[in-house]
Amino acid sequence: KPPMTPAERQLTIHWLISNYHPSGGFCGRTGKDADACYCFWCGAALHILGAGDLVDTLSLARFLASCQFKYGGIAKAPGEHPDPYHTYLSLAALSMYSPAPAMGNHVHAASWTFEPLDPLLNAREETALWAKRWLAFQAGTV
């Protein structure tokens, strides 16, 4: 049996998109404010489900930029204090949904470019590929 039926996949995608907030971020629960970490959690789930094209990369980047603290780090929401958890997951979300392609020749487009991320392992694609090969080797399947 597949992990999800097509109907379950569609319902899950619908639920994830319903948590998309007008600010450009994602909410963890219905009726809550957007939270930077859910840009990763919801964004990764959409990516894994093959629905990453439903994410507005520019709006997501604007929301995450509004959560950035002027002395460094990213907070869960604008005006709050940053922490390592929200900083990492925000950068991971931007690795999946870089706004750089939509920025064209903008002078700052390159600063929004990150290494590609494997959302299933939450690791750079290069690291995820190495881990998969290593684990397969250890299991004797290679």
Side-chain angles (χ1 to χ4, degrees):
K1 178 183 173 190
M4 296 180 103
T5 66
E8 290 170 332
R9 180 182 170 276
Q10 282 306 114
L11 282 171
T12 303
I13 290 169
H14 181 269
W15 181 82
L16 289 163
I17 292 301
S18 72
N19 285 324
Y20 201 59
H21 192 269
S23 66
F26 282 90
C27 311
R29 294 183 306 272
T30 305
K32 295 290 187 178
D33 290 333
D35 183 320
C37 69
Y38 288 105
C39 294
F40 171 77
W41 297 119
C42 293
L46 286 165
H47 196 282
I48 291 166
L49 291 168
D53 59 318
L54 299 175
V55 176
D56 180 343
T57 58
L58 286 174
S59 293
L60 184 79
R62 272 191 221 100
F63 171 74
L64 292 173
S66 74
C67 296
Q68 187 174 6
F69 189 63
K70 65 181 177 180
Y71 299 116
I74 301 173
K76 72 181 271 180
E80 298 205 18
H81 292 288
D83 60 78
Y85 176 77
H86 287 91
T87 299
Y88 174 77
L89 290 178
S90 295
L91 294 175
L94 289 167
S95 293
M96 290 183 297
Y97 299 108
S98 173
M103 294 174 77
N105 293 327
H106 189 278
V107 67
H108 297 295
S111 68
W112 287 93
T113 303
F114 300 91
E115 292 284 326
L117 186 89
D118 179 324
L120 193 58
L121 296 180
N122 193 3
R124 289 183 334 152
E125 284 182 355
E126 180 182 324
T127 303
L129 183 58
W130 173 87
K132 290 172 186 175
R133 287 182 181 153
W134 176 253
L135 293 172
F137 176 77
Q138 293 298 316
T141 59
V142 173

